[in-house]
Amino acid sequence: MSDTIEKLKCLIIGSGPAGYTAAIYAARANMAPVLYQGTQPGGQLTTTNEVENFPGYKNGITGPEMMIELQEQAQRFGTDVRDGWVTKVDFSSNVHKVWINDTKEIHCDTVIISTGASAKYLGLESEQKYLKLGGGVSACAVCDGFFYKNQEVVIVGAGDSAAEEAHYLSKLCTKVTMLVRRDEFRASKIMAARVQNTPNIDILFNTQTEEVLGDGQVVTGVRVLNNKTNETHEIAATGFFVAIGHKPNTDIFKEYLTLDETGYIINTPGTAKTNVEGVFVSGDAADHVYRQAITAAGTGCMAALDAERYLAAKDSTFEVSTAQY
Ligand code: NDP
């Protein structure tokens, strides 16, 4: 452990749209924020190609480019953006203690958690290959569905997300084949009924993915296995969507923060406040419903404003800046 402890007014953990937006607001409010980027600088958006639904980019922008712009915007106002990830926290007192890479110790007046969530993938080699190539594998139909307009796609999963995304895709694509590994949905009855009643969604029960097929550059189909009959067959498709759940990156906070049963941080509704005073949350770490870059950015703004007001209430010499509102 290091013997020099750094003291900060505001620490931001995570470098997706939530973290950088929090940083822009916190820096402009004289909170001298330090942002640790985490293990995936730029967050989930760095794994998408074109982002076309973030307001302000009328011609679209790639995910990685957008995250560089957000980082530069945060740095322009003085955010100290650093490499490194948080390995341990202690939120048991007013001084919030955080350890970086198991060595550096920081004491913070406020902490903004923007650690996001990670989409789960099947883990097949072929799936990961086309995901990395940007060649037709996606875990976000709302982000990427448009690229498959008038094409045939496959989606894996049977929960509410898969049902919602299959329905979304059915409005864009000519055919959506949904692969359900058991003989029933996990999704709520109403969501399951919606996909079952959509003519261009073909549901294959007891069916799992054996391999994502492609030409070396892009996806061309999927080989599936019926786990009741042991028969395999191929389905032609240009897109392979995975909707088997997300895992919020919140494990290190669970000792101190109230989480729901899947690990999402529970915030006070309408605010970014957690159950620990001075600790705020933004982005997908607390959001299993919307999970969009723009909603993450919005809650990043809320977290910085809540943190600023918390500091002002605690310390009469710290003035809430009004210029930014
Ligand atoms: P869930 O955990 O509810 O569902 C995951 C689905 O993926 C399950 O059907 C599961 O199958 C399947 N799955 C998991 N691993 C594999 C695998 N290796 N191969 C094939 N299939 C697999 O996650 P969701 O993201 O759907 O939902 C998360 C939470 O968010 C839920 O509480 C949900 O209700 C909520 N939600 C609500 C929405 C709404 O109300 N509008 C929209 C979206 C989500 P199996 O069933 O066999 O385990």
Side-chain angles (χ1 to χ4, degrees):
M1 294 280 161
S2 112
D3 43 13
T4 20
I5 296 171
E6 190 178 10
K7 294 199 168 108
L8 297 178
K9 257 193 192 117
C10 178
L11 174 74
I12 299 169
I13 311 173
S15 56
Y20 282 133
T21 306
I24 292 165
Y25 275 77
R28 286 167 58 83
N30 294 331
M31 290 159 73
V34 169
L35 180 150
Y36 275 92
Q37 290 185 304
T39 48
Q40 188 182 24
Q44 285 187 79
L45 273 188
T46 56
T47 65
T48 46
N49 290 328
E50 202 73 9
V51 179
E52 293 188 325
N53 55 7
F54 199 95
Y57 295 104
K58 66 177 178 156
N59 299 317
I61 183 165
T62 70
E65 278 172 334
M66 188 174 124
M67 295 322 300
I68 288 168
E69 290 209 352
L70 276 172
Q71 178 179 338
E72 288 175 355
Q73 192 176 355
Q75 286 171 316
R76 187 180 141 210
F77 300 111
T79 305
D80 184 350
V81 176
R82 299 181 186 168
D83 281 341
W85 58 93
V86 172
T87 45
K88 194 175 111 177
V89 299
D90 178 351
F91 293 159
S92 59
S93 69
N94 270 355
V95 176
H96 309 104
K97 298 176 185 165
V98 171
W99 283 264
I100 309 295
N101 300 350
D102 280 327
T103 50
K104 185 178 171 57
E105 183 174 344
I106 305 181
H107 290 185
C108 323
D109 291 330
T110 64
V111 176
I112 296 177
I113 297 170
S114 315
T115 47
S118 306
K120 293 183 194 162
Y121 288 92
L122 298 175
L124 296 171
E125 204 177 302
S126 52
E127 169 205 60
Q128 291 302 306
K129 173 179 158 184
Y130 289 105
L131 173 69
K132 288 192 184 105
L133 283 171
V137 173
S138 168
C140 180
V142 178
C143 320
D144 298 326
F146 189 75
F147 302 113
Y148 302 90
K149 201 169 180 185
N150 297 327
Q151 297 172 41
E152 298 191 0
V153 298
V154 168
I155 183 164
V156 184
D160 281 329
S161 296
E164 198 168 77
E165 302 211 348
H167 192 249
Y168 179 87
L169 289 168
S170 72
K171 289 186 258 165
L172 296 166
C173 305
T174 48
K175 184 178 168 195
V176 179
T177 304
M178 194 169 182
L179 308 182
V180 176
R181 67 178 173 181
R182 291 184 295 133
D183 57 3
E184 61 177 2
F185 280 100
R186 179 177 294 275
S188 53
K189 285 201 167 51
I190 188 164
M191 304 279 270
R194 188 176 299 159
V195 291
Q196 281 167 315
N197 293 329
T198 304
N200 64 337
I201 301 180
D202 189 14
I203 303 159
L204 303 183
F205 288 101
N206 295 113
T207 303
Q208 56 202 68
T209 311
E210 267 208 343
E211 194 179 350
V212 179
L213 307 169
D215 63 5
Q217 293 299 317
V218 294
V219 170
T220 56
V222 183
R223 190 171 65 246
V224 298
L225 167 79
N226 182 308
N227 54 32
K228 276 247 160 93
T229 62
N230 269 339
E231 283 169 10
T232 60
H233 75 277
E234 292 183 4
I235 303 167
T238 50
F240 181 72
F241 287 86
V242 187
I244 60 171
H246 283 74
K247 187 180 180 323
N249 303 317
T250 57
D251 280 357
I252 50 167
F253 308 113
K254 65 183 175 204
E255 197 178 323
Y256 302 97
L257 300 187
T258 311
L259 311 180
D260 73 9
E261 67 283 356
T262 31
Y264 288 93
I265 296 171
I266 296 178
N267 56 303
T268 307
T271 77
K273 294 176 188 169
T274 69
N275 59 300
V276 174
E277 281 203 8
V279 177
F280 304 89
V281 63
S282 61
D284 288 9
D287 173 19
H288 68 266
V289 178
Y290 300 104
R291 295 197 298 247
Q292 299 301 300
I294 187 67
T295 47
T299 55
C301 161
M302 288 166 66
L305 296 182
D306 284 350
E308 187 190 357
R309 284 170 189 157
Y310 167 83
L311 282 178
K314 214 172 123 232
D315 171 6
S316 56
T317 61
F318 185 81
E319 283 179 23
V320 175
S321 70
T322 48
Q324 60 184 314
Y325 304 138

